[in-house]
Amino acid sequence: MSSSADGQSRGARLAARHLPTFVRWLGNFGWPILLRQLRADFRKNRFFFSQFVCLGVLGVTLIAMISYQTSDETRTATQIGQALFDSFFIIQYLIILVIFPAFSATAFTEERAGLTIDLLLASTLKPEEIVWGKFFASTVYCLVYVVASIPLLSISFLFGGVEPREVLVAYGILIGLTLLISMVGVCISSWYGSPIRSTLTVYVLVFLGLAASWYAFRRTGWGEKGAEGRTLISLLLDSLGVGSSVGLPQVAVLAAVAFAYLFLITANRVRPSSDDRTSPLRALTFIAILGFLLASVASPQDIYLWLTTGTGGVWGRGRGPGWQRGLVQQVFVLVLLAAAIFPTEEAATSRRNRARFGAWTGPRYPLRIFAPGAFWGFAYAVALTALSSGVLLLGLGAGRQDGIDGAAVQALLTMPFYIAAVAALGFLLAACDFTPFYARLTVSFVLVITALLPFIFMLSKEREEVWTGWDVLWRAYYLSPLTLWQSLVADPAEDPSQFLLFGVPVAAAARWILGGLGAAFLAAGVLAARRAGHPLLRFAGGGDARAPRAAQRA
Amino acid sequence: MDSTTRAEESTAALAAGEGAAEIAVSVRSLSKTYGDGYAVHDLSFEVPRGEIFGFIGPNGAGKTTTLRILATLLEPTAGEVLVEGRCVVNETEEVRRRIGYMPDRFGVYDGVTVEEYLEFFAGAYRLPRGRRAAVIKDVLDLTDLGALRDRMVSSLSMGMKQRLCLAKTLVHDPSLLILDEPASALDARARIEMRVLLKELRRMGKTIIISSHILTELSDLCTSVAIIEKGELVVSGSMDLLQERKWGTDRVKITLHEPRPGVEEALVEIPAVELVSIEENVVVFDYAGAPGEFYKVLKALTDREVPVVSVEHDSRNLENLFLRLTKGDVQ
Ligand SMILES: Nc1ncnc2c1ncn2[C@@H]1O[C@H](COP(=O)(O)OP(=O)(O)O)[C@@H](O)[C@H]1O
Ligand SMILES: [Mg+2]
């Protein structure tokens, strides 16, 4: 080989070395599916047609806006520029929300209706790759369109009045919305057999999205008296700014978490159930809840103080007790949802999964809370609630002068028992071979009933003179999750923990009762699981837990 | 618990033992329920490597259900299915790499050419990019689709689509082909071509499982069969063995010079004979005895001076076997 040839082909050789890796990497995102779709759609001119229609709508509206705005002599150039920018954003927003879901809403239903899905599923493509492929195949036009519309946006720059920062944020929102909407469509399409039903469902959600967006935009004060000379984006930025509880980064993180959930749920729908359906979802929920907690409470300054002095840092101190209690409530709602969902999974787990998690011993043992199956779902819920309450107790400075008050602390101590009892109930149902759907239905029913308890008690309180037994019932008030939350918003001066039930503070009694119930459910669940042959702590070997049930039937 | 443990031990023994190399597919106590009803119940059979295995049963017998489980598209309710020693539930990746599956009803993607269609599956099966063109050419040649490589897939005839689908299952060079009623939509000529192709594939060392509700379609193609009805196995084994088995009845057609009374009495006396029909001078009966004893039938007839002109002895009449078996005559 001559040196000149070497020099010439250096780039080519580099490419040759790295291209396979790159291609493999592409393959992990379902590249064959995207390529096939693109080939077919380019032939059908669907691509050009959709681009043409969308850009046409946008262009015509903008031109109409310009002629309308410029005909009004009283308007300044800045005002015209801002009005154009606003209408550009709104039209884009509507196009993305209303037209683009049609591309993704049939991603899987099309394959089902066309009887091509089996060939795809029987191939060695992983479910994640299939979902990525379908996602990119349905979102690629939308992204191209959003980018192709940038030149139209530049018209509003000619008039001035719009900052580059606003343009960046606007594009961030539009692109993020496009990705999210496409994933929503792909996810919904994996649930249905018929393209019409999936499209209808997606458009019901689109309608809700429109309503929510309208509400969010109105809340910024856009179009009202004091907001002249401001664009919608700058108003949005303000409303998400420093003074509010949610900032722009939180919105972005929230959207990313929603995207990840939709992706995982879709991949779970596509893959056969023997694969691990739960671990990624559990891990994501874990990270999202703890991340939400930390992101909400901890300013870097707070964390620094807390780490260095150990005393100074009380999270959200500057934001007052109402904010602190709100945070506790939000975290508990999230953890309660996780406790209703994960322990009610099927108690049976496939041998493959058990082998995988069985290999996690020693320091990795705690990671088994992410292992599939009802029992580890219960362990997961308990760990999650213990961890979040612990973080909240520490971070909110329980027991300190500047920390949260006694009532909130009582709730923080009691709520985990309630959540553990709910999780244990879910595990018991799953161990009795309730399907996840019916187990979740039952748990939700129990949640609703216990949430209604305080209202029954409130009624009873007014009748105290009729029967003194009501008085005792009234003190069982704290057995309900709703009242636990209520104690969080109650006046701190009126400490509800003074209520006594048979001489014991009500919150403490609630902990005993809920703890007892939880332990009973757990014990019953363990017995039921043993009898049905479902594995609990044992991971290695053993039969596929499904087999014994069928054997009994046969 | 016990039953599973036992099943597992035997499976482990099978996977570890010498026999594993010879067995392409092993189905053990497979059951699949939909709601309360069984689609497949306690089905067990084995497919030796290198065979063309006929999976035969009337409509609704559970063929598609079983084959979809083999192809990792459905999960069994109970039982175990191994493809070349890999479990279809726990080792889906390995199984999928080894099988080529052709569903009973399938569609093709609109708007792609034959070549692009195969390229898609080459990509889906992660064939190295450099090898794809060569593999696609080979597969097109093998299935005789070379001339159509630039045709749009959606414009192909049913027979062509079927062959394209077969080509697609060959792209990743699987050792086991699972074909669910591949001939049902084909005309006679296309069937013959399909048959030639399957024999060629067998010569290349592939194991082929092929299902049908029509037995004659498979009787001279298959080297072994399983017959199922209402989700349960009626019989399975190699074709040769099935012929030799006592219930592997032969249908015998005897033509007489002229109709004669007493033929019926003569035949009924022989236990191995089951009379089917006597019409004019044609007598049809099933013979279930040993081949070496057949002279006794003829002797009984000639003793009564029945003028036999010809004896047609259909010794490979699996259709007959099939009809009798699915009627539930034979246990
Ligand atoms: N998705 C399903 N839901 C309910 N029953 C089904 C489903 N698929 C198949 N069956 C039933 O299972 C039985 C076996 O069907 P199948 O395997 O398709 O039979 P075959 O392919 O032999 O004609 C039939 O009785 C059929 O009605
Ligand atoms: Mg069928």
Side-chain angles (χ1 to χ4, degrees), chain A residues 553, chain B residues 31-41 65 77 230:
Chain A
R553 209 179 298 149
Chain B
S31 292
K32 174 75 192 176
T33 51
Y34 287 114
D36 285 340
Y38 277 106
V40 172
H41 183 222
T65 305
T77 312
K230 295 196 182 110

Side-chain angles (χ1 to χ4, degrees), chain A residues 23 28 31-33 36 39-40 43 111 114-116 118-126 129 272-275 350-352 533 538 542-544 546-548 550-551 553-554, chain B residues 1 3-4 8 33 38 68 72-73 75 77-78 80 89-90 92-93 96-97 101 103 105-113 116-117 119-121 123-126 129 152 168:
Chain A
V23 165
N28 290 340
W31 171 246
I33 296 178
R36 200 216 80 237
R39 277 175 166 162
R43 279 206 182 94
E111 299 252 359
L115 298 174
T116 51
D118 281 349
L119 301 181
L120 200 58
L121 293 180
S123 80
T124 50
L125 281 176
K126 293 195 183 78
E129 295 172 75
S273 60
S274 63
D275 287 9
S350 77
R351 205 172 353 143
R352 173 202 202 169
R538 201 162 53 88
D544 263 294
R546 288 153 201 272
R553 209 179 298 149
Chain B
M1 210 59 206
S3 62
T4 10
E8 242 161 53
T33 51
Y38 277 106
R68 282 176 63 84
T72 73
L73 295 174
E75 289 213 317
T77 312
E80 190 146 34
V89 178
N90 295 324
T92 43
E93 283 272 332
R96 283 177 193 154
R97 215 173 303 137
Y101 171 64
R105 296 187 316 133
F106 62 89
V108 290
Y109 294 108
D110 271 354
V112 287
T113 65
E116 287 165 356
Y117 183 81
E119 253 172 44
F120 166 65
F121 283 102
Y125 281 98
R126 291 170 224 285
R129 206 149 275 245
M152 298 306 279
K168 161 254 142 196

Side-chain angles (χ1 to χ4, degrees), chain B residues 34-35 38-40 57-66 74 104 180-181 211 213 228 231:
Chain B
Y34 287 114
Y38 277 106
V40 172
N59 282 327
K63 304 183 294 291
T64 299
T65 305
T66 309
L74 264 185
D104 51 351
D180 196 354
E181 308 226 7
S211 83
H213 62 278
I228 65 166

Side-chain angles (χ1 to χ4, degrees), chain B residues 6 42 83 102 113 121 177 213 268 296 303 306 319 329:
Chain B
R6 234 181 292 124
D42 201 17
V83 172
M102 180 160 138
T113 65
F121 283 102
L177 297 180
H213 62 278
V268 164
K296 287 181 180 168
D303 283 353
V306 175
E319 181 77 15
D329 295 355

